[in-house]
Every structure is written in structure tokens, then in C-alpha cells.
Amino acid sequence: MSLGLGLALIALLAALGMPLFAVILAVALLGFHLAGYDLVVVAVEFYRLGDMPGLVAIPLFTLAGYLMGESGAPRRLVRLSNALLGWLPGGLAIVAIVACALFTAFTGASGVTIVALGALLYPALREAGYSERYSLGLVTAAGSLGLLFAPSLPLIVYGFVAGQVGGPTPVTIPDLFLAGLLPGLVMIAMLSLHAMWAGRGIERARHRFDPRELRAALAECAWELPLPVIVLGAIYSGALAASEAAAVTALYVLIVTVWIKKEISLAKLPGVMAESMRLVGAILMILGAALALSNWLVDQEVPTRLFELLSEHVDSPWVFLLWLNLFLLAVGMLLDIFSAIVILTPLLMPVAAAFGIHPVHLGIVMLANLQLGYFTPPVGMNLFIAAYRFGKPIGTLVRACLPFFVVLGLAVALLTWWPALSLALQQL
């Protein structure tokens, strides 16, 4: 069987519903077979994946995120954000933006944010006087915020995959945690400015600052507030590796939600853990298959050939980044973020390095575009989740999200062509 015929058959099976990990694995098996390799090399990649110590951070952070999502943390987070920011013009909209970003950072899944916080934020925005279109667009778009903030699972997955690809410039998870901070804040700031403009004539959208409410909200969040300090402080101080910080985080959240707050019963706990591990299992299957595929791509010198092809038509890293943004937007509409990361990172890293693009900056550009792709019309995944959650037609969601797409698109363009936003904190 030729490579072209084999790929055509795999594409047909994919169109008929073949799981993504099986598609990736089939391409890797076909490639190694036609190259004359023993197919045991693919199984070796799965064994090597299970033997990597840093991998444990993925299931542990995922478990912590799911536990927080099932607890009362979303409600407490919204209350604290409202107490801190609700007095600003467009205050409630800014509260929604900040709450969604923080919640997505810990759960690592924008769809979960829309489902978990949508029930709180959408009715509150409508009651405050915001239009239906603005409220729907804000919750849908803000649901993808936070993927650049630690300890976001996509950041960890990119760091893990990039570390396996290697290269002259090492990529570490702490570096990525720092790199995502300023670009993420720029996105929140630009959406907040838009929210202040949108809420300028809505008096019900803001309230007076109340120190007593702030103290009460802080007291209610007393167990959640130390969590970012524990995670980031332990990693950046060198006290704990990322995997060890993940273990501490998972244990801390488990104790707080089950035994201190008692918001998750022991009877419910196994179901929450099983649900979180289903996501982890899917990620690991895709990751193992993608490692095998990337090895075949490197063996066949595909990144080198891709760079040679691009260099004939692209003569600057800025033009390359422009085409990369457009490509990643399209990918973000069609694939979930984890699949896109593990498939594209081994292919794009060597090409970006040849254009002089730092791999950490590449990672932030990738995640920012894939985050935007979540609600890019017409087939972004968040559009369908929000349509189901709020019972609205897809067309309504598309029109509602267009202004937010423009605002965040400008933010993505800014962080793409201003690498210092991603790299400045590492140089301090």
C-alpha cells in the first residue's frame, strides 16, 4: 500500500467517526511500516510516555480542577470578583471576565467554565441591564480566557510535548507559567475596557464599593485564595517541581472540598475522580500516539522539508507568524486544544526555530490562537456548548461573539508580534 492510498483510507475512517488517537496512531504505524521499521517502535513510545516522571502533573492538576468545579468555588469566586470590581463602570461584566479567566486557569477546560459559571453570570448580566446579545457573547468568549494562566492544563501539555521535541532552547513548565502571565492580563484588560465602554450607560451594572462585603467575600474564599500562592510560590522558589506542586494542589483541594467545606460527599467523590480521569486518559492516548507520529515525522525530515518549502515563499518571521495565526485559528475551530497541541507542536517547533522564534513565545502564540478558535465562527466548540447551555440558536451565538472576537483578535495580534510580552518576565 502506498502512503497516499493509506492516508486516504485513514481520512475516510476519520470522517466515519474513527477516534482521533486512532487516526494519529494509524498514520504513525503506516509511516513506520512503509519506512521499513519494526512497528514495536510505536509501542515503545507509549512505554516511554508512562516512564516520564513529569507526566503525573497532568492527572493531578486535572483532578484538582474537577473538584473545584463540583464544589462551591465558582459561586465564591464570582462573589469575590464582584466585591473587588463590581463598583467599576461595567463592573459586573468585568467580574464575569475575571471569574471566567480564573476558573478556566484551574479547570483547564473552557466548556466547563461556560457550564459551571454560565448559570451564575448570564442571569446576573441580564438582570443588570445588559442586552441578551452582549451577555451571551461575553460568557461564551470569556469561557476560553485563562488558558494562558498557571496552572492551566494546556500550558502543562505544551511544556511536556515541547520538552520531548527538544531543541537548542529548552522549554520548561515554569517558564511557560511566567510567559503566559502578561499576555493573559493583556487579554483581560482589553476585554475589560470593552466592558467599561459597553456598560457606560447602565447604572445597574455597577454598585458602590462595600468594604464589609469585600471582607465577607474574602473570608468565604479563605481556603481558595492561598492556592495560587502555594502552586506558583512553590514552583518559582524551587521548593517543588511542577509534578510535586500538582500533588500538593490536588491533596489541598481534596481536603478542602471533601472534609473542610464538605461540598463533595465521599459517595460523590469516586464519580468526580472517574470523570476527571476520563479526560486524562483521552489526553494520554493522544499524547502517546502523537509522540510516535512526531518521531516518524522527524525521521522523514518533514519539519526540514516544511521549512524549505516555506522559505521559498516566506522571507520573514513576522510573515510566518501571520500565516501561523490564520492556520491555528482554523485548527482551533476543528480540534480540541489538547489534540492540536500534541499534533502540531512537534511539527511547528523546528520550523519556528529556523525562523528565529523562541519556543516559549511559540507556545503562547499557539495557545492564544487555539483559545480564540474555541469561539471562532462558524464551528468553534464553545459556540455549540453555549448554544446548548443557554438554549439559543448557533446563529445568535455567532453574532453575539463577533465583537469579542475582534477585541481578543487584536490582543492575539499584539502578543504575537511583541515577543517581549511572553519573554520579559523570564529575563528578570
Side-chain angles (χ1 to χ4, degrees):
M1 180 185 292
S2 67
L3 180 61
L5 180 59
L7 291 177
L9 178 60
I10 293 170
L12 176 61
L13 292 173
L16 294 174
M18 185 176 178
L20 180 62
F21 82 91
V23 173
I24 302 170
L25 201 57
V27 174
L29 288 168
L30 176 64
F32 279 120
H33 172 69
L34 294 177
Y37 287 92
D38 190 330
L39 296 185
V40 73
V41 297
V42 175
V44 168
E45 289 303 318
F46 280 89
Y47 177 81
R48 189 165 66 90
L49 178 68
D51 201 38
M52 294 172 181
L55 190 70
V56 72
I58 294 176
L60 290 172
F61 274 128
T62 303
L63 175 60
Y66 267 75
L67 289 170
M68 288 187 67
E70 292 293 327
S71 70
R75 178 188 55 78
R76 290 191 290 272
L77 187 59
V78 170
R79 182 185 181 187
L80 177 60
S81 301
N82 193 38
L84 282 170
L85 305 169
W87 57 274
L88 293 169
L92 185 59
I94 298 174
V95 167
I97 292 165
V98 172
C100 286
L102 293 176
F103 189 74
T104 302
F106 273 94
T107 60
S110 65
V112 174
T113 300
I114 293 174
V115 173
L117 294 186
L120 297 172
L121 296 174
Y122 176 69
L125 289 166
R126 294 290 289 124
E127 185 177 345
Y130 289 98
S131 67
E132 178 185 75
R133 177 178 292 190
Y134 181 85
S135 303
L136 287 171
L138 178 65
V139 175
T140 304
S144 66
L145 284 177
L147 295 180
L148 296 181
F149 292 126
S152 163
L153 198 54
L155 272 178
I156 296 171
V157 173
Y158 176 82
F160 184 81
V161 177
Q164 300 308 306
V165 174
T169 306
V171 179
T172 67
I173 291 175
D175 286 343
L176 289 166
F177 282 179
L178 278 178
L181 184 59
L182 291 181
L185 290 175
V186 166
M187 288 184 163
I188 289 177
M190 292 182 68
L191 272 184
S192 297
L193 289 174
H194 179 261
M196 294 174 72
W197 177 82
R200 64 193 184 282
I202 306 175
E203 287 302 320
R204 286 182 295 164
R206 57 190 297 190
H207 59 73
R208 291 183 179 275
F209 178 75
D210 185 350
R212 290 177 298 178
E213 170 62 15
L214 177 58
R215 285 195 296 270
L218 286 170
E220 193 177 38
C221 288
W223 289 103
E224 283 88 2
L225 289 177
L227 196 53
V229 178
I230 293 172
V231 176
L232 302 182
I235 292 176
Y236 294 133
S237 67
L240 298 174
S243 56
E244 295 168 333
V248 171
T249 301
L251 179 61
Y252 180 90
V253 173
L254 180 67
I255 291 173
V256 170
T257 56
V258 176
W259 284 287
I260 296 177
K261 293 283 189 178
K262 297 182 179 179
E263 293 172 331
I264 299 177
S265 66
L266 288 174
K268 187 179 178 182
L269 181 61
V272 176
M273 298 176 74
E275 186 67 25
S276 67
M277 291 307 107
R278 274 191 282 271
L279 173 62
V280 172
I283 293 173
L284 295 184
M285 289 296 292
I286 295 170
L287 190 53
L291 288 176
L293 178 61
S294 66
N295 277 350
W296 175 71
L297 292 174
V298 171
D299 180 75
Q300 299 300 306
E301 300 182 343
V302 172
T304 303
R305 295 177 185 177
L306 180 60
F307 171 70
E308 291 172 353
L309 177 64
L310 286 173
S311 60
E312 295 177 4
H313 307 282
V314 177
D315 56 2
S316 113
W318 310 115
V319 178
F320 168 73
L321 285 171
L322 172 62
W323 286 108
L324 179 64
N325 280 0
L326 297 175
F327 171 69
L328 289 172
L329 273 179
V331 171
M333 286 191 293
L334 302 173
L335 287 179
D336 70 273
I337 196 167
F338 301 111
S339 304
I341 290 169
V342 298
I343 293 170
L344 296 179
T345 300
L347 192 62
L348 293 177
M349 270 189 65
V351 179
F355 279 105
I357 297 168
H358 197 287
V360 170
H361 179 52
L362 173 68
I364 299 304
V365 170
M366 280 186 63
L367 294 183
N369 277 282
L370 293 172
Q371 169 182 308
L372 193 59
Y374 265 133
F375 65 97
T376 300
V379 291
M381 185 172 63
N382 277 10
L383 295 174
F384 294 92
I385 294 174
Y388 174 79
R389 178 65 185 82
F390 302 117
K392 303 295 181 181
I394 288 291
T396 300
L397 269 298
V398 168
R399 290 189 294 273
C401 286
L402 283 177
F404 301 95
F405 179 82
V406 172
V407 173
L408 287 178
L410 291 173
V412 170
L414 178 63
L415 69 91
T416 297
W417 284 287
W418 192 9
L421 277 175
S422 303
L423 304 175
L425 293 180
Q426 299 177 52
Q427 299 167 1
L428 295 180

